[in-house]
């Protein structure tokens, strides 16, 4: 089951960087989590900056009544910490009056609440007692000092797992847990494929509602659909579940390897596996091929953002024939991404953490054909004549699984196609992509 | 703690960033945790700037708290100066760094970085974005214009424009419009600040005869300081609207010692005639609710009332610093000003006022959408669509043209409004449908309408389900066009309550109509 760990020589040496990090904090993950679980409400305990962050990052997609809010700490809260718990209770009461349909209230810690060591765990316990778990109250930290972007989801899922009632809960125990937010359409596709492989009692984490949770125990195996789930994996392990090691289900190769690892674990025959996956594999290869002319031979530089970068780089290199210059990741969970790193060609530079000015220097010097980076950097690079793909889109677009392999390729091809269209350049590849 | 779904303003350090990003040669070192760099995308995405804002963040993490975050700040400071070689360095803390108390100002001074350092004290748990911007601008001007001696001989027609910033609502085009207007009137515009100015420009501020404050929330403090320190008078009439622009020109000319008459100036203004033309007749006394920053809200109320013939039924601002000005303006319209930064209060006020048009910010757009009331944006906070590619000032005469088009557009056009009152059961053009010049029928159903919330129920009850009415009266009420139905209902209920009538009949409805027609 375990793939061999990569030897140090085939991953190259990792550049560890310390300096300005141009990344989102974990609070940002609320933007997709509140849609994934419609009966949950996310209440950030933080400052005006936190409130401003979420509404700025969420932009126009947020309507007047979002399912998240901020309890903004004020000067008098900081003056004496004793009454902060009363204050929070009051805010929660007001919120629940307004939104009585909430089934799960999630208290989200921020930098200010962590720095003053405001105990959200205790607050959650107290509120659970007060409201008899209707709604259920959970807490996790999405602070920038502890989490980067997608790590917010990691902490949330870990809190969900820790909050699971063991096997006292009704329902059959989960055989397989698929951890990591997936677009609904992707989740349905995965569920169909797993069912066709004959794997039963599959639970997706998070589920689409806050109360559909099967017990997790020693019989449970779990697969990670996302690479940023270190804390969630640890929580599942301590509930007794064991991980199915695999690369991540991005692209045809990634999806096949991911499903194969699960199939092997559950003793699915090779014949059945091939029968189930043959058609979608063919479709994924076909869809990806449309975009390969745009990307093959292109030199790509990835800035750190979501921890999906090693998987994206592997996909770009192996399925689209791109040359990878540097793979930046805010954090490398060595064990979880070992398989991805092992598949990258020798000489690819891997960087963990960030010193953004120095990284920009490296990037400019390399003159890549495509830069995968955040929104704070993208337009400035474009204005300098470089082509970018803004990375937050990978968190907001269905990209996993077979049927999305072409869409994932298109995300990378689109800026290059656009550059070609707007510059009026003759494009021998245009026909291939249309 | 304060429950906040939407915040009208960011934290004060975002205001400081706006000043740094407006200017040239200024760099800002911000002591802040990892993640606060989100603010960069306000500039690179919303304003679509082509360069990164001149801000270096320390982006400390939890593990740094154990060691010295002060050292991280010092390193960031030195690196920023070495790399960007600014003419002036702003240093400050974000809300989390404020809790650490590393004293960025003191640290930067001990570093002796070789460029002027301006230390910012921005209390994040007390103040907000506009205050932060005003304070930063004031600190910068104090630093660079403080020790300057004012020249003995100054041309009386020389002036500075103060207030426009990065991320300001239509500031880019307002500056163009007003600068052109001033030049046509024989004025000599010396320095525009902070937008586009360098620290050296700030030290030239006292060389002009007087200042023009276009955006008081940013530049009022600075203008007062320049008056006190250098004896520079200032004009703070905001030229939004035709009448305000004319008053502005008169005041500016008087201050420059020019004759009051404006003969040579070609007034490129169509909104006065547009508002007078018979097609605009139906705009008379349309009820409008106005909310935004103080400057834009007050200006909008005067335009709405005096230049477009609307009836102002609500006026408010989220800027407590300018509450007095807004209260005074509200008195002109016989209403009480709404001073709040809680968007739920604004929502309640809009529901209560039953306007036919809302002029507000991005948030009021959301509220209006939910209530299906036409809306136009007149003030920050705004999103990317209100940083348009086309020339779209709010100020001056072209600004008045832009305003006429923008505010009238969301309203149902006159003929359609008449036909709706006459024929109510058309399968396409009916009561609930959006005005046909805006969208196709049916496209109004917003996604969030699908899941009814308590709020939606409140709105629905308030708008659609009269209680204490006979069935016939309720039916008759529904025959009144939707955009004035709320007002009719409220008037009728007021009338009935006053006379102790219960339940409300068709008779009561028409009695009330006659009563309020006086």
């Amino acid at each position: 089951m375990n793939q061999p760990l990569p030897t140090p020589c085939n991953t190259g040496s990792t550049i560890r960087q310390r300096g300005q990090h141009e990344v989102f904090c974990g609070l940002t993950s609320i933007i997709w989590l509140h849609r994934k679980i419609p009966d949950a409400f996310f209440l950030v305990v933080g400052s005006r900056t936190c409130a401003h962050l979420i509404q700025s990052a969420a932009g126009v997609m947020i309507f007047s009544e979002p399912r998240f809010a901020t309890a903004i700490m004020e000067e008098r809260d900081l003056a004496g910490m004793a009454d902060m718990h009363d204050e929070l209770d009051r805010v929660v009461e007001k919120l629940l009056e307004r939104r009585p349909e909430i089934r799960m209230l999630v208290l989200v810690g921020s930098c200010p609440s962590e720095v003053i060591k405001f105990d959200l765990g205790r607050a959650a316990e107290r509120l659970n007692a007060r409201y008899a778990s209707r709604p259920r109250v959970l807490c996790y930290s999405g602070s920038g000092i502890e989490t980067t972007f997608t790590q917010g989801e990691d902490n949330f899922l870990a809190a969900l797992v820790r909050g699971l009632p063991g096997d006292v809960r009704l329902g059959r125990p989960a055989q397989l847990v698929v951890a990591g937010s997936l677009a609904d359409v992707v989740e349905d596709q995965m569920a169909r494929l797993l069912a066709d492989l004959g794997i039963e009692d599959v639970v997706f984490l998070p589920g689409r509602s806050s109360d559909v949770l099967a017990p997790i125990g020693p019989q449970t195996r779990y697969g990670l659909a996302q690479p940023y789930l270190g804390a969630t994996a640890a929580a599942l392990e301590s509930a007794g579940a064991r991980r199915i090691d695999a690369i991540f289900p991005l692209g045809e190769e990634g999806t096949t390897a991911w499903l194969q690892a699960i199939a092997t674990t559950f003793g699915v025959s090779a014949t059945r596996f091939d029968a189930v996956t043959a058609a979608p594999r063919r479709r994924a290869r076909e869809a990806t091929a449309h975009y390969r002319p745009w990307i093959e031979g292109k030199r790509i530089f990835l800035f750190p953002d979501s921890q999906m970068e090693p998987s994206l780089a592997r996909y770009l290199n192996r399925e689209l024939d791109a040359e990878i210059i540097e793979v930046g990741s805010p954090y490398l969970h060595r064990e979880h991404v070992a398989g991805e790193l092992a598949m990258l060609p020798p000489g690819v530079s891997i960087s963990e953490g960030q010193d953004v000015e120095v990284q920009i220097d490296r990037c400019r010097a390399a003159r890549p054909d495509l830069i995968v980076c955040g929104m704070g950097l993208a337009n400035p690079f474009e204005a300098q004549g470089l082509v970018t793909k803004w990375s937050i889109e990978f968190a907001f677009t269905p990209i996993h699984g077979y049927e999305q392999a072409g869409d994932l390729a298109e995300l990378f091809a689109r800026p290059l196609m656009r550059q070609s269209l707007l510059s009026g350049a003759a494009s021998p590849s245009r026909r291939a992509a249309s | 703690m304060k429950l906040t779904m939407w915040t009208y303003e960011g934290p004060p350090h975002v205001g400081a960033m706006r000043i740094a990003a407006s200017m040239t040669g200024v760099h800002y070192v911000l002591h802040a945790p990892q993640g606060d760099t989100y603010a960069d995308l306000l500039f690179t995405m919303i304003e679509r700037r082509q360069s990164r804002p001149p801000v270096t963040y320390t982006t400390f993490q939890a593990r740094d708290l154990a060691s010295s975050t002060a050292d991280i700040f010092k390193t960031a400071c030195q690196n920023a100066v070495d790399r960007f070689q600014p003419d002036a360095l702003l240093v400050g803390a974000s809300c989390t760094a404020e809790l650490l108390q590393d004293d960025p100002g003191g640290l930067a001074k001990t570093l002796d970085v070789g460029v002027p350092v301006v230390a910012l004290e921005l209390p994040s748990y007390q103040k907000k974005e506009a205050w932060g911007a005003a304070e930063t601008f004031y600190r910068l001007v104090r630093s660079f214009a403080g020790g300057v001696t004012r020249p003995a001989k100054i041309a009386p027609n020389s002036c500075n424009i103060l207030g426009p910033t990065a991320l300001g609502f239509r500031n880019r085009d307002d500056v163009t419009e007003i600068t052109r207007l001033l030049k046509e009137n024989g004025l000599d515009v010396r320095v525009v600040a902070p937008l586009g100015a360098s620290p050296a420009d700030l030290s030239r501020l006292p060389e002009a005869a007087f200042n023009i404050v276009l955006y008081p929330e940013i530049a009022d403090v600075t203008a007062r300081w320049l008056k006190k320190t250098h004896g520079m008078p200032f004009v703070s009439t905001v030229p939004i609207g035709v009448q305000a622009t004319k008053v502005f020109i008169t005041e500016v000319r008087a201050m420059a010692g020019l004759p009051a008459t404006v003969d040579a100036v070609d007034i490129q203004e169509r909104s006065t005639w547009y508002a007078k033309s018979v097609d605009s007749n139906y705009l008379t006394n349309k009820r409008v609710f106005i909310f935004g920053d103080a400057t834009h809200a007050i200006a909008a109320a005067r335009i709405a009332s005096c230049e477009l013939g609307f009836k102002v039924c609500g006026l408010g601002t989220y800027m407590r610093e300018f509450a007095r000005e807004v209260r005074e303006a509200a008195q002109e319209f016989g209403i009480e000003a709404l001073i709040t930064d809680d968007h739920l209060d604004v929502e309640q006020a809009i529901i209560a006022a039953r306007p036919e048009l809302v002029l507000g910010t991005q948030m009021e757009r959301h509220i209006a959408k939910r209530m299906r009331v036409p809306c136009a944006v007149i003030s920050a906070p705004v999103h990317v669509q209100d940083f348009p590619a086309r020339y779209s000032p709010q100020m001056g005469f072209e600004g008045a043209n832009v305003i006429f088009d923008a505010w009238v557009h969301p309203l149902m056009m006159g003929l359609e409004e008449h036909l709706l009152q006459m024929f109510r059961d058309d399968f396409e053009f009916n009561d609930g449908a959006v005005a046909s010049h805006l969208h196709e029928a049916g496209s109004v159903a917003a996604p969030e309408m699908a899941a009814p919330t308590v709020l939606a129920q409140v709105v629905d009850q308030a708008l659609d389900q009269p209680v204490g009415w006979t069935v016939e009266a309720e039916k008759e009420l529904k025959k009144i066009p939707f955009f004035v139905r709320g007002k009719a209902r409220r008037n009728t209920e007021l009338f009935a309550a006053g006379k102790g009538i219960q339940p409300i009949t068709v008779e009561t409805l028409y009695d009330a109509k006659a009563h309020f027609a006086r």
Side-chain angles (χ1 to χ4, degrees):
Chain A
M1 171 193 101
N2 287 319
Q3 290 182 357
L5 290 171
T7 53
C9 62
N10 64 11
T11 60
S13 55
T14 305
I15 309 169
R16 279 177 187 276
Q17 304 177 101
R18 181 68 192 91
Q20 178 176 325
H21 288 198
E22 186 81 18
V23 291
F24 283 124
C25 65
L27 295 182
T28 323
S29 52
I30 292 171
I31 294 167
W32 65 88
L33 290 174
H34 88 281
R35 287 296 167 95
K36 181 73 194 176
I37 314 167
D39 60 1
F41 193 100
F42 292 80
L43 179 65
V44 177
V45 179
S47 63
R48 182 169 303 283
T49 308
C50 307
H52 194 237
L53 155 84
I54 310 178
Q55 89 185 34
S56 304
V60 285
M61 72 174 226
I62 302 307
F63 301 102
S64 59
E65 192 70 0
R67 290 187 296 269
F68 55 76
T70 309
I72 294 184
M73 295 169 6
E74 292 167 308
E75 192 137 71
R76 60 198 185 91
D77 297 313
L78 298 170
M81 274 189 50
D83 71 308
M84 273 190 76
H85 284 276
D86 297 341
E87 285 286 305
L88 182 62
D89 289 359
R90 191 180 51 76
V91 164
V92 167
E93 194 177 325
K94 186 173 173 190
L95 175 66
L96 294 178
E97 256 167 40
R98 191 173 166 84
R99 304 295 299 256
E101 76 280 9
I102 297 169
R103 307 277 297 267
M104 176 163 68
L105 175 66
V106 189
L107 305 176
V108 190
S110 66
C111 298
S113 74
E114 296 293 334
V115 164
I116 63 165
K117 306 210 183 305
F118 181 59
D119 190 347
L120 280 185
R122 193 156 67 87
E125 260 174 44
R126 189 182 59 245
L127 289 165
N128 267 323
R130 179 168 171 187
Y131 293 105
S133 296
R134 295 179 66 85
R136 197 149 69 92
V137 184
L138 283 185
C139 74
Y140 75 93
S141 171
S143 74
I145 57 177
E146 291 161 306
T147 58
T148 308
F149 194 34
T150 48
Q151 280 177 316
E153 177 181 326
D154 186 24
N155 278 357
F156 168 63
L157 296 187
L160 260 186
V161 172
R162 282 195 300 268
L164 283 182
D167 42 11
V168 287
R169 192 71 174 251
L170 291 176
R172 288 160 65 180
Q175 271 207 63
L176 174 66
V177 172
V178 176
S181 277
L182 292 169
D184 291 344
V185 61
V186 177
E187 192 181 300
D188 293 342
Q189 290 164 8
M190 292 296 194
R192 274 201 302 273
L193 284 168
L194 293 169
D196 290 348
L197 291 173
I199 300 165
E200 292 175 341
D201 298 321
V202 180
V203 168
F204 286 85
L205 183 76
R208 291 181 215 182
S209 98
S210 63
D211 54 5
V212 184
L213 298 161
I216 289 167
Q219 74 291 341
T220 309
R221 309 300 298 263
Y222 69 95
L224 299 179
Q226 301 281 14
Y228 46 76
L229 298 176
T232 307
L236 286 163
E237 297 276 347
S238 51
R242 284 167 298 153
R243 185 169 72 94
I244 299 170
D245 187 33
I247 57 171
F248 295 92
L250 292 171
E252 185 269 324
E253 186 183 36
T255 307
T256 304
W258 187 79
L259 284 171
Q260 181 66 69
I262 293 169
T264 306
T265 305
F266 288 94
V268 179
S269 74
T271 326
R272 184 164 188 181
F273 185 81
D274 288 343
V276 169
T277 57
R281 287 182 73 174
R282 179 186 50 73
R283 285 199 296 270
R285 282 195 296 266
E286 193 183 313
T288 307
H290 286 301
Y291 300 99
R292 191 178 297 113
W294 287 97
I295 296 170
E296 61 187 350
K298 293 290 193 306
R299 303 171 69 250
I300 302 183
F301 192 109
L302 296 97
F303 277 75
D305 190 45
S306 64
Q307 297 185 46
M308 291 160 92
E309 295 81 10
S311 310
L312 294 171
R314 180 261 302 159
Y315 166 75
L316 282 165
N317 175 247
R318 293 177 59 101
E319 296 188 44
L320 293 165
D321 300 319
E323 185 188 330
I324 307 299
I325 303 172
E326 177 170 328
V327 183
S329 179
Y331 174 76
L332 287 172
H333 194 293
R334 308 274 152 182
E335 197 188 335
H336 291 176
V337 295
E340 301 283 11
L341 296 180
M343 289 170 86
L344 288 173
V348 170
S349 169
I350 314 280
S351 63
E352 183 178 12
Q354 191 175 37
D355 182 340
V356 73
E357 304 294 351
V358 176
Q359 195 166 28
I360 288 170
D361 288 345
R362 279 205 302 278
C363 180
R364 281 194 187 126
R367 294 294 301 179
D369 297 303
L370 184 67
I371 303 169
V372 179
C373 64
M375 294 188 284
L377 301 178
N379 273 336
F381 272 135
E382 293 277 349
Q384 291 167 0
L386 294 158
V387 182
T388 61
K389 166 71 229 136
W390 48 300
S391 51
I392 194 174
E393 227 172 341
F394 298 111
F396 291 144
T397 313
I399 56 170
H400 294 76
Y402 290 125
E403 316 302 344
Q404 283 65 238
D407 303 340
L408 179 55
E410 200 263 347
L411 282 184
F412 292 106
R414 195 187 298 156
L416 295 160
M417 290 156 77
R418 188 163 184 80
Q419 180 203 32
S420 160
L421 281 168
L422 299 185
S423 66
S427 163
S429 319
R430 191 178 296 176
R431 202 161 17 106
S434 61
Chain B
M1 275 184 212
K2 187 163 164 13
L3 179 62
T4 310
M5 311 265 179
W6 272 108
T7 158
Y8 282 97
E9 291 185 75
H13 73 257
V14 169
M17 284 184 71
R18 284 173 54 187
I19 301 300
S22 303
M23 295 182 60
T24 59
V26 174
H27 198 86
Y28 184 17
V29 179
L30 180 62
H31 204 17
Q34 168 177 268
D36 279 4
T37 51
Y38 81 86
D40 281 1
L41 63 90
L42 303 171
F43 300 90
T44 61
M45 299 298 285
I46 295 177
E47 207 178 25
R48 293 186 222 248
R49 288 169 69 104
Q50 301 199 336
S51 57
R52 295 171 60 214
V55 183
T56 294
Y57 305 79
T58 55
T59 59
F60 56 83
Q61 290 174 276
R63 59 166 182 264
D64 301 321
L65 298 178
S67 55
S68 175
T69 46
D71 287 342
I72 294 176
F73 178 80
K74 286 200 273 191
T75 311
C77 239
Q78 192 62 56
N79 287 349
V81 172
D82 293 346
R83 181 175 281 266
F84 299 103
Q85 304 191 337
D87 303 324
L89 195 68
L90 288 171
V91 296
S94 79
C95 49
T96 303
E98 192 183 329
L99 299 171
L100 302 181
Q101 301 187 322
D102 279 335
D103 185 21
L107 289 172
K109 283 190 177 123
T110 59
L111 266 183
D112 193 19
V113 287
V115 294
V117 172
V118 179
L120 300 174
E121 294 285 344
L122 309 175
S124 308
Y125 297 92
Q126 225 177 26
K127 302 289 189 181
K128 289 176 282 186
E129 180 178 333
W131 186 90
E135 170 72 8
T136 304
F137 185 47
Y138 163 68
R139 292 281 158 201
L140 277 167
V141 170
R142 243 185 99 114
S143 298
F144 288 93
V148 178
T149 318
R150 207 162 179 232
K153 200 167 173 309
I154 295 177
N157 69 336
S158 59
C159 61
N160 303 311
I161 292 180
L162 303 181
T165 63
L167 275 181
F169 180 66
R170 309 289 170 89
N171 284 195
R172 177 195 71 193
D173 298 337
D174 282 350
V175 168
T176 308
E177 184 68 14
I178 294 305
T179 305
R180 189 172 59 80
L181 192 69
L182 290 170
K183 281 183 178 156
E184 282 171 1
N185 275 283
L187 281 115
D188 179 14
V189 178
R190 295 286 172 84
V191 176
V192 178
L195 195 62
S198 67
D201 292 330
L202 298 188
S203 57
R204 293 196 296 113
L205 285 174
E207 292 173 19
F210 64 100
N211 290 312
I212 292 170
V213 179
L214 285 189
Y215 305 95
E217 43 280 297
I218 307 293
D220 187 63
V221 181
T222 300
R224 285 176 198 284
W225 179 82
L226 284 166
K227 185 176 182 184
K228 199 181 86 186
T229 310
H230 292 294
M232 299 175 77
F234 62 93
V235 173
S236 60
T237 296
V238 178
I240 301 179
V242 174
Q243 290 174 18
T245 302
K246 286 181 177 167
V247 172
F248 171 81
I249 293 172
T250 311
E251 285 183 13
V252 168
R253 290 179 68 96
M255 196 158 276
L258 297 162
T261 47
V262 192
D263 300 331
V265 181
D266 172 29
I267 295 179
Q268 298 277 335
E269 188 268 305
R270 281 176 288 272
S271 70
T272 305
W273 163 243
Y274 271 49
K276 189 170 163 36
S277 72
V278 292
D279 187 57
S280 298
N281 244 290
Y282 80 111
L283 300 179
T284 310
N285 280 331
K286 278 214 181 288
R287 296 166 58 78
V288 54
F289 187 98
I290 298 168
F291 194 83
D293 68 41
T295 303
H296 287 91
I298 294 170
R302 296 198 173 127
I303 296 170
S305 174
C306 308
E307 297 177 27
L308 295 176
F310 292 148
K311 177 163 179 57
V312 178
C313 67
L315 175 62
T317 184
Y318 54 83
M319 284 187 172
R320 288 183 192 282
E321 291 90 342
F322 291 83
R324 186 152 49 105
E325 286 84 344
V326 177
R327 286 206 180 91
E328 280 168 15
Q331 275 181 352
E332 294 172 29
F333 308 104
I335 51 177
E336 195 172 329
L338 174 70
I339 313 294
T340 181
D341 59 357
D342 186 338
H343 99 285
L344 302 180
D345 291 347
V346 180
E347 188 178 80
Q348 283 308 315
I350 292 177
I351 291 172
R354 310 277 159 77
E356 293 163 75
L357 174 68
V358 174
L359 302 174
T361 73
Q362 185 71 26
M363 284 71 174
E364 282 67 54
R365 183 136 81 184
H366 294 314
I367 298 169
K369 181 174 144 201
R370 182 180 280 273
M371 293 176 62
R372 304 185 184 193
V373 177
C375 177
V377 171
I378 58 155
S379 157
V382 292
H383 207 36
V384 63
Q385 60 269 53
D386 276 299
F387 287 90
R390 67 184 186 278
Y391 185 58
S392 3
Q394 299 286 291
M395 291 184 174
F397 296 124
E398 184 58 26
N401 295 340
V402 170
I403 285 172
F404 182 91
D405 291 344
W407 296 8
V408 174
H409 175 82
L411 297 170
M412 183 166 286
M413 292 166 77
L415 178 61
E416 182 156 310
E417 191 178 300
H418 285 298
L419 288 172
L420 261 178
Q421 290 177 55
M422 293 178 68
F423 313 110
R424 313 194 45 78
D425 298 325
D426 192 287
F427 70 95
E428 283 176 291
F429 308 109
N430 54 41
D431 217 22
V434 173
S436 67
H437 73 291
L438 295 178
H439 298 285
E440 286 173 41
S443 66
V444 68
E448 82 273 25
M449 296 300 229
T453 61
V454 172
L455 170 75
Q457 286 158 15
V458 169
V459 175
D460 287 347
Q461 274 169 11
L463 295 181
D464 294 334
Q465 291 163 13
V467 187
W469 290 58
T470 63
V471 178
E472 291 73 26
E474 199 179 319
K475 268 189 195 155
E476 200 71 8
L477 176 68
K478 294 235 164 95
K479 292 176 190 168
I480 296 167
F482 68 94
F483 38 84
V484 285
R485 193 182 302 148
K487 182 181 142 206
R489 191 188 133 192
R490 197 181 55 168
N491 282 351
T492 308
E493 286 171 357
L494 262 173
F495 177 79
K499 304 243 167 195
I501 298 168
Q502 208 187 12
I504 292 166
T505 63
V506 176
E507 287 284 303
T508 324
L509 176 65
Y510 287 118
D511 282 345
K513 187 180 178 194
H515 176 78
F516 285 106
R518 285 180 308 180

